[in-house]
Amino acid sequence: MHQITKVNSAIAALGLSAVLFVNPSIAANTNTISTANKVASTDASPVTNGVSQNLTENSKTANSLNKLLPTIKYTTNNLPKFAQKVNSSSWKKGANVSRSMSTKLQALLNWNQSSVGPVDGYWGKNSIKAMQAFQKSRGLKVTNNLNEETWQALTKNNKLMSQPVLVSYKLSDADVNLKTTTIPAGAEAKAKLEGMYYESVIEALAEKFHMSEKYLKELNPNAKFNAGEGITVYNPGNPNTKQVSRVVADKTTETLYAYDEQNNLVASYPTTVGSTATPSPSGKHTVEVKVHEPNYTYTGDDGSQVIIPPGPNNPVGVVWIGLSKPSYGIHGSPDPARISRQASSGCIRLTNWDALALLGTIKNDATVEFK
């Protein structure tokens, strides 16, 4: 059995959970969403105005999110031509979805709380799923291709539409002088590490800005990634701040749908839900515990156990949301690019940044439904 044995002290500071985590083991088709669910309001991510992930509203969820997510200060000074093209892109019926337009669409979906996973500038599987979740949240016809109705809904908020997608960011000492490590393959070797840190500065920066490593390097072909250097990055905007009282993990669409107390669909995230060898459970369960920066206990075939330390490359990433169904939970991932493209051990796997966004908003006794 795989087990999580640590409750990070940050939980008490964040006020996220008052329970003690005692040794639990780890182990839609959009039409499947009940038509009884109300559509969300048209509120989107608050406009960032030079600072992302720095929420100004006075609420429990906003305060928690501000502690969990890094504040990002950016400018639009000296942006390269491609970044300027992305920021000024506008879709027209019949037009091809270019790399610049794909990047703009991925940003608009993210800012409207329909996560695409790592932003990579490609209109692929997770982007289409995010569009369909957005369409569902707004009561629109669910389609496989972008249409005029969906574009108008995505761009309804003029301030959000004018928010820059690609921005300039000045690297700090903390960005580049961080602990890194080489992650070994075996659990015993991992357990000997001080922490499951990032393997490179590039990996850390890509995760900070919710991007693929490849796209980060493509946007900055001549960068040395030194402190004080300006680089071009994706502007992650701000996460959902509405409290989540229910989530639905759809095994068909590999999407996690998040609902508020009034049954409004307020956010969606691409996910990996179980596998053929280790299927996820069915039915409804509840959130029992929430852990930021968990460790991970691996149990070998012979019953021997080793504890893998916390870190972004921990097998459950930086978040564990344990369920009333023993050994199952919602957690992060050390490999965001493979979300929706890999198997899990029956749990609900998200990117680390989506898992953190959910950790800051999900209620302690929220319902978790597998479909």
Side-chain angles (χ1 to χ4, degrees):
M1 280 290 188
H2 308 323
Q3 298 174 329
I4 289 180
T5 56
K6 172 190 173 187
V7 178
N8 191 281
S9 59
I11 293 300
L14 292 172
L16 292 175
S17 177
V19 299
L20 176 64
F21 194 4
V22 183
N23 204 31
S25 33
I26 301 295
N29 182 322
T30 53
N31 291 328
T32 63
I33 305 175
S34 170
T35 56
N37 293 330
K38 302 175 184 177
V39 298
S41 71
T42 54
D43 291 344
S45 166
V47 177
T48 53
N49 291 326
V51 185
S52 283
Q53 298 182 159
N54 184 28
L55 300 160
T56 57
E57 68 178 82
N58 184 20
S59 69
K60 181 179 178 180
T61 55
N63 292 336
S64 293
L65 289 165
N66 281 336
K67 293 174 182 177
L68 289 166
L69 298 170
T71 296
I72 297 170
K73 296 182 179 180
Y74 66 83
T75 73
T76 54
N77 298 333
N78 303 316
L79 287 176
K81 289 183 179 180
F82 178 75
Q84 295 177 44
K85 183 178 180 181
V86 169
N87 292 345
S88 63
S89 291
S90 183
W91 181 84
K92 293 182 180 180
K93 185 177 180 180
N96 292 327
V97 181
S98 64
R99 192 84 187 274
S100 56
M101 191 68 246
S102 292
T103 306
K104 183 70 167 277
L105 287 169
Q106 287 183 322
L108 289 170
L109 287 165
N110 280 337
W111 297 342
N112 280 281
Q113 311 309 333
S114 299
S115 173
V116 303
V119 169
D120 59 6
Y122 291 111
W123 192 244
K125 174 183 176 181
N126 282 343
S127 295
I128 294 171
K129 289 196 309 180
M131 178 188 71
Q132 292 172 336
F134 171 78
Q135 289 170 328
K136 189 68 180 178
S137 74
R138 297 305 190 271
L140 306 176
K141 180 181 178 181
V142 176
T143 62
N144 291 321
N145 297 300
L146 181 65
N147 57 26
E148 184 66 27
E149 183 183 35
T150 303
W151 174 252
Q152 291 300 322
L154 277 171
T155 59
K156 185 176 181 179
N157 184 322
N158 290 329
K159 290 184 178 180
L160 199 66
M161 177 60 176
S162 63
Q163 180 170 268
V165 175
L166 297 182
V167 296
S168 180
Y169 174 80
K170 185 177 179 180
L171 292 169
S172 68
D173 287 335
D175 287 322
V176 299
N177 297 319
L178 72 166
K179 289 184 178 180
T180 59
T181 191
T182 299
I183 304 295
E188 290 187 1
K190 289 176 180 177
K192 295 177 182 178
L193 295 176
E194 179 185 55
M196 293 290 284
Y197 306 128
Y198 292 112
E199 292 195 277
S200 68
V201 170
I202 295 291
E203 182 188 13
L205 290 173
E207 186 151 301
K208 179 173 183 173
F209 297 107
H210 308 183
M211 307 171 66
S212 72
E213 293 180 48
K214 181 179 178 182
Y215 202 23
L216 176 62
K217 289 186 285 187
E218 287 177 357
L219 291 173
N220 300 279
N222 300 314
K224 302 298 183 183
F225 297 101
N226 294 324
E229 184 179 8
I231 59 172
T232 301
V233 297
Y234 164 67
N235 172 17
N238 290 318
N240 165 57
T241 59
K242 296 175 182 176
Q243 192 171 59
V244 173
S245 61
R246 179 172 71 98
V247 295
V248 177
D250 191 308
K251 302 173 189 177
T252 302
T253 63
E254 292 184 300
T255 301
L256 185 69
Y257 301 98
Y259 299 88
D260 66 10
E261 196 71 48
Q262 288 72 44
N263 214 25
N264 296 313
L265 177 57
V266 296
S268 68
Y269 311 100
T271 185
T272 299
V273 190
S275 66
T276 302
T278 54
S280 57
S282 58
K284 297 181 180 180
H285 310 277
T286 56
V287 169
E288 293 287 307
V289 66
K290 297 184 290 188
V291 186
H292 181 216
E293 297 182 348
N295 61 21
Y296 182 92
T297 300
Y298 175 80
T299 303
D301 293 337
D302 61 355
S304 61
Q305 293 185 332
V306 294
I307 297 176
I308 299 174
N313 276 309
N314 184 280
V316 294
V318 297
V319 169
W320 172 256
I321 301 172
L323 307 185
S324 54
K325 174 78 171 177
S327 83
Y328 293 97
I330 304 169
H331 61 78
S333 171
D335 193 354
R338 296 186 65 199
I339 294 296
S340 292
R341 297 177 173 89
Q342 67 192 142
S344 78
S345 298
C347 294
I348 301 168
R349 182 178 294 165
L350 307 173
T351 65
N352 277 336
W353 58 85
D354 284 343
L356 285 167
L358 184 62
L359 180 65
T361 55
I362 195 166
K363 293 176 64 177
N364 289 339
D365 59 350
T367 300
V368 179
E369 183 176 356
F370 291 83
K371 282 192 174 182

